[in-house]
Each structure stands twice: as C-alpha cells, then as structure tokens.
Amino acid sequence: NIPAVALTYICNMFATIKFYNKSIKKGIKPIFGSDIYIKTDKNKIYEITLLAKSQQGYKNIANIIHG
C-alpha cells in the first residue's frame, strides 16, 4: 500500500480537486505541490519544487503562484 503520493505541476495546481478526491477514495494521503522558477538578479534561473505540508502550506503555494 502507498500511504501518500505527491503531485506537482509547473507553475500551477489546476487538478488538485480531482487528485484529492481520487486519492482520498483510495485511502491515500494527497500531497500538493508545484514546480516554480526563480530568476536571480544575475539572470540565473532555478527550478524549485514546493510541497504543501498542510492546508496553510497549500494556500502559501497558491499565493506564490497566483500572486
């Protein structure tokens, strides 16, 4: 059995409700996240994966993505 599974998207989280419902139905804890890009003042670009540990974490990621 899988106790939890994470799903990340690039700069969005559009299918979270569908993912949540299917995970819960199967008895799996869903972990939401997003891959974002950070550009430095020296024009270097870094990809960072953000994973929500709680509902507040999910809200924080949504605020980062959607401003």
Side-chain angles (χ1 to χ4, degrees):
N1 291 340
I2 300 173
V5 65
L7 178 68
T8 64
Y9 292 96
I10 298 173
C11 300
N12 73 65
M13 297 191 304
F14 291 131
T16 54
I17 294 171
K18 186 175 183 180
F19 172 62
Y20 174 84
N21 289 335
K22 288 193 176 206
S23 297
I24 294 299
K25 191 174 185 178
K26 300 272 186 183
I28 299 170
K29 178 184 176 184
I31 301 171
F32 303 105
S34 184
D35 297 315
I36 64 168
Y37 296 96
I38 306 274
K39 185 176 181 181
T40 68
D41 56 351
K42 296 181 181 181
N43 289 327
K44 288 188 177 184
I45 298 175
Y46 296 94
E47 182 178 357
I48 298 173
T49 300
L50 303 175
L51 296 174
K53 193 173 181 179
S54 64
Q55 186 174 8
Q56 183 60 50
Y58 174 84
K59 290 178 184 179
N60 292 341
I61 293 172
N63 284 335
I64 290 169
I65 294 170
H66 303 295

